[in-house]
């Protein structure tokens, strides 16, 4: 099996009770490759309680900027000076710049430090990081896009709260975003591993799951996907390299220790067997054979009906004659 990345995990998932700023997408596989809080090729749409789109944006793009932001030397940006934002002590070198809230958080993540006061970070404050979380409370989110994965077993998942990273403890107290309150109800509008081809069925398209309100507990919703590599060859000999998959699902409630991390997880593995579909024209002999079979079937059915009517008529006539003699 090829080790070339499979750029085809196409997804479109709606979370009616999770705001976009809380949902992050991660991938990891058995080869050790891990990607956290993926933002490339991802589009998030804020939706209200009725499912109407409030805002659509490419993730990580469109942050608000203000004039004269704080520089790494502690002063404000001059008009003739190139911007180089402070990393607030987490710099790995003297010339490292953190020009956005995300870059500051990444620098802290690499150091293993906790970002305990987001509003004290100039970049986060002027980009409205905390205010955005406040504004999105009570909203839902539609996420669609695709991610690159290797052709080995792994998983990708939508993890609420993961995007807050080490700032999470601070935001829990400030915005009341406790993990046990996450409602991971979701609808999978589209999920495919590869290009569509004639006759393909993606079993998770349109699947919806709602978290029960009786328990009030969140958990880990798991989809176990078995991916079968597939090659479809059309009538002109053009090949489409794609995949089919089957799926089972399971919900792990967040009870006991250790508690499973909340989110929607897709665990996939690739089958060593490949399926080939080839589109061909029906030969004239095969066509004539089918026609003869159809005609023969019609005559057979007609004969059965005729025999039933004939014998039924004779039986009725015989009974009538017996009645007259009596």
């Amino acid at each position: 099996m090829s080790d070339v990345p499979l750029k085809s995990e196409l997804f479109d998932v709606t979370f009616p009770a999770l705001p976009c700023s809380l949902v992050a997408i991660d991938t990891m596989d058995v080869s050790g490759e891990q990607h956290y809080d993926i933002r490339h090729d991802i589009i998030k749409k804020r939706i209200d309680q009725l499912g109407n789109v409030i805002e659509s944006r490419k993730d990580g793009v469109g942050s608000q900027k203000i004039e004269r932001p704080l520089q790494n030397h502690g002063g404000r940006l001059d008009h003739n000076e190139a911007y180089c934002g402070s990393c607030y002590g987490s710099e790995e070198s003297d010339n490292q710049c953190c020009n956005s809230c995300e870059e500051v958080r990444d620098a802290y993540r690499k150091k293993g430090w906790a970002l305990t006061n987001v509003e004290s970070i100039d970049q986060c404050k002027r980009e409205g990081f905390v205010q955005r979380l406040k504004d999105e409370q009570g909203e839902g989110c539609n996420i669609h896009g695709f991610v690159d994965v290797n052709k080995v077993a792994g998983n990708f998942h939508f993890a609420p709260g993961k995007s807050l990273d080490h700032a999470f403890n601070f935001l829990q107290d400030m915005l009341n975003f406790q993990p046990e309150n996450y409602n991971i109800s979701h609808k999978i509008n589209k999920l495919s591993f590869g290009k569509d081809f004639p006759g393909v069925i993606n079993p998770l398209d349109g699947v919806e799951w709602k978290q029960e309100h009786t328990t009030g507990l969140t958990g880990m919703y798991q989809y176990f996907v078995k991916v079968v590599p597939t090659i479809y060859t059309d009538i002109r000999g053009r090949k489409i390299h794609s995949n089919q998959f089957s799926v089972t699902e399971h919900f792990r409630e967040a009870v006991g220790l250790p508690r499973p991390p909340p989110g929607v997880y897709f665990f996939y593995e690739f089958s060593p067997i490949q399926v080939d579909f080839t589109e061909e024209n029906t030969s004239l002999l095969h066509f004539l054979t089918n026609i003869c079979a159809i005609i023969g079937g019609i005559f057979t059915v007609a004969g059965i009906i005729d025999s039933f009517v004939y014998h039924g008529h004779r039986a009725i006539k015989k009974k009538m004659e017996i009645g007259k003699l009596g």
Side-chain angles (χ1 to χ4, degrees):
M1 185 178 296
S2 173
D3 292 330
V4 177
L6 174 69
K7 197 174 184 177
S8 56
E9 273 193 35
L10 176 66
F11 58 84
D12 184 337
V13 183
T14 299
F15 295 91
L18 280 178
C20 288
S21 294
L22 281 181
V23 184
I25 305 169
D26 305 331
T27 64
M28 55 188 66
D29 59 45
V30 295
S31 69
E33 188 166 335
Q34 301 179 2
H35 300 279
Y36 296 105
D37 200 6
I38 298 172
R39 296 174 180 268
H40 297 292
D41 304 311
I42 305 296
I43 302 293
K44 290 183 177 181
K45 294 179 181 179
R46 295 170 56 193
I47 57 176
D48 61 20
Q49 295 180 349
L50 299 176
N52 300 315
V53 176
I54 301 172
E55 178 191 18
S56 178
R57 67 171 184 264
K58 190 171 182 179
D59 204 13
V61 175
S63 299
Q64 181 183 358
K65 302 295 182 183
I66 63 173
E67 291 184 3
R68 302 190 66 216
L70 189 67
Q71 291 281 60
N72 60 356
H73 53 64
R76 290 290 172 177
L77 176 67
D78 292 330
H79 292 293
N80 59 350
E81 184 182 13
Y83 177 50
C84 181
S86 172
C87 296
Y88 297 87
S90 61
E91 297 90 347
E92 294 181 347
S93 62
D94 293 338
N95 59 353
Q96 180 179 350
C97 303
C98 293
N99 294 342
S100 67
C101 183
E102 177 66 22
E103 291 179 5
V104 176
R105 291 163 57 205
D106 285 342
Y108 268 67
R109 182 192 299 124
K110 291 178 181 178
K111 289 283 188 179
W113 295 354
L115 192 60
T116 56
N117 192 347
V118 180
E119 289 198 318
S120 68
I121 306 300
D122 184 66
Q123 292 89 328
C124 299
K125 186 176 181 179
R126 62 190 174 85
E127 291 175 13
F129 177 74
V130 175
Q131 185 61 43
R132 187 166 68 245
L133 291 175
K134 291 180 180 179
D135 293 342
E136 292 184 9
Q137 281 190 288
E139 296 179 359
C141 188
N142 171 263
I143 309 175
H144 66 274
F146 61 86
V147 295
D148 295 341
V149 297
N150 296 317
K151 289 188 177 181
V152 295
N155 79 80
F156 70 99
H157 52 267
F158 300 87
K162 197 72 171 292
S163 61
L164 303 183
D165 206 18
H166 294 298
F168 184 58
N169 292 331
F170 164 71
L171 291 169
Q172 272 190 336
D173 298 332
M174 181 176 175
L175 302 178
N176 196 31
F177 283 140
Q178 283 81 22
E180 59 269 18
N181 293 338
Y182 290 144
N183 185 335
I184 60 171
S185 299
H186 59 277
K187 180 179 180 181
I188 303 174
N189 305 302
K190 174 74 174 178
L191 179 67
S192 64
F193 288 78
K195 299 178 181 179
D196 287 341
F197 58 88
V200 66
I201 297 175
N202 297 315
L204 285 177
D205 288 1
V207 169
E208 186 173 7
W209 181 81
K210 293 184 178 180
Q211 184 171 312
E212 296 293 337
H213 296 288
T214 54
T215 62
L217 290 175
T218 188
M220 174 191 288
Y221 203 88
Q222 302 168 306
Y223 292 95
F224 299 94
V225 180
K226 185 74 171 184
V227 183
V228 181
T230 303
I231 297 179
Y232 180 87
T233 306
D234 65 14
I235 196 68
R236 298 180 179 179
R238 294 176 297 189
K239 295 181 182 293
I240 299 176
H241 293 262
S242 188
N243 299 277
Q244 302 176 88
F245 66 92
S246 60
V247 64
T248 55
E249 51 193 273
H250 176 67
F251 176 64
R252 288 181 59 194
E253 200 171 71
V255 293
L257 294 175
R259 289 189 176 184
V264 180
Y265 288 70
F266 296 84
F267 298 91
Y268 58 86
E269 62 177 2
F270 287 85
S271 170
I273 301 173
Q274 179 176 285
V275 176
D276 289 349
F277 289 112
T278 304
E279 190 179 52
E280 296 178 344
N281 283 323
T282 303
S283 65
L284 179 60
L285 180 60
H286 185 69
F287 175 74
L288 293 176
T289 302
N290 287 340
I291 294 296
C292 292
I294 294 172
I295 294 174
I298 293 173
F299 273 103
T300 300
V301 173
I304 293 173
I305 296 174
D306 178 70
S307 176
F308 177 77
V309 172
Y310 174 73
H311 289 291
H313 178 71
R314 285 193 60 185
I316 294 172
K317 186 176 180 182
K318 189 172 183 179
K319 287 183 179 180
M320 291 178 64
E321 290 176 352
I322 293 174
K324 289 180 180 180
L325 293 175

